[in-house]
Amino acid sequence: MRSSMLRAACLLGFSALALPAAAEPDPSPAGWHVVPGSFEPGRGPDGNSVFLDAPGGLILVDTGRHPAHRDRLLGYARTRGRPIAAIVNTHWHLDHSTGNGEIRAAFPEAPLYATSAVEGALAGFLRDGRARAETMLTAGDVPPEREAEVRRFLAVMDAPDALRPTRPVVRSGEVEVAGRRLQLNVAPFAATEADLWIFDPDSGLLVAGDLVVAEVPFMDTACPEGWREALATVAATPFTTLVPGHGEPMDRAAFAAWRSAFDNLLDCAASDRAKDACVAGWRRDAARFIAPGREAMIDEMTGYYLETRLRAAPEERQRHCRHSAS
Ligand SMILES: [Zn+2]
């Protein structure tokens, strides 16, 4: 049980992975640039971040979790000699938003575009995560190498305004962000209570957030059926390149393969097939997205999501399929 709790906390709550600072290449001719996230065993992940060039400066989509990721984001802006003029959060999970506070401190003029789903999280999931983290710290249950992550998580919980949008996005539509017109789309009840994904018709770029996670969908706060519908909407969008929340950019064929694997996993979960068969099915269908050597970890996560979400009791399964904030 504790390992499950620690894993959930690892994904969403805590973490301090230091990556070597890589030289950031120039932006693509289409005017966007990915700062890849990371996901090392035993540590919380960073989501991918994406920079888009805009007339007013750089648009930054998602701010990662660890200080090293934050430093790469600030370093990229410095190298480019352009300010971060706007921040977009695809969703409130802390591997995509922990850097908000420090990035916003460095660029206080930058508005934050996000859905208001974080309010429900602050009143529920994150509040509970904080209580667990404090209990574990007090009890000495946090491994020493994780302590910095936990304290970073608690620091975010002490300053939750950094997670709150200054420009709440409530419905899908075109928005001018830092002078660049983008389609900001809201997916209700998907990976979170309301995910935001971005499509730029000029470049064909689609930034999917955790609606697409290459190795395995992170379902901790998922409404699986809403998520499935969101993927159908993404598929109907004429993108050429899709940047997932975690993993390499995808072309249309790669996304179609991933979506098919997702649908198969949900179908298997709804059937009477054995858990191990569903886990094996994901591994088979998503094989191209799983790096060698990580199969056992991905199997464990798939099994965990089957038990805790996809095959939970009906009430629990539907928990994230309705508004949580009053
Ligand atoms: Zn993520």
Side-chain angles (χ1 to χ4, degrees), residues 32 52 73 83-84 89 132 172 197 203 235 240 293 297 313 317:
W32 53 271
L52 298 119
L73 301 177
I84 293 173
N89 281 157
R132 273 200 307 274
S172 300
W197 55 278
S203 64
T240 49
M297 179 179 83
R317 205 168 56 235

Side-chain angles (χ1 to χ4, degrees), residues 32 52 61 88 90 172-175 177 180-186 196-209 233-243 252:
W32 53 271
L52 298 119
V61 184
V88 183
T90 57
S172 300
E174 256 197 25
V175 179
V177 181
R180 180 166 174 166
R181 292 203 72 79
L182 297 172
Q183 288 181 16
L184 302 185
N185 301 284
V186 177
L196 188 157
W197 55 278
I198 300 158
F199 177 55
D200 174 27
D202 292 340
S203 64
L205 177 72
L206 193 153
V207 184
T233 308
V234 167
T237 305
F239 69 86
T240 49
T241 302
L242 180 150
V243 177
R252 292 197 69 86

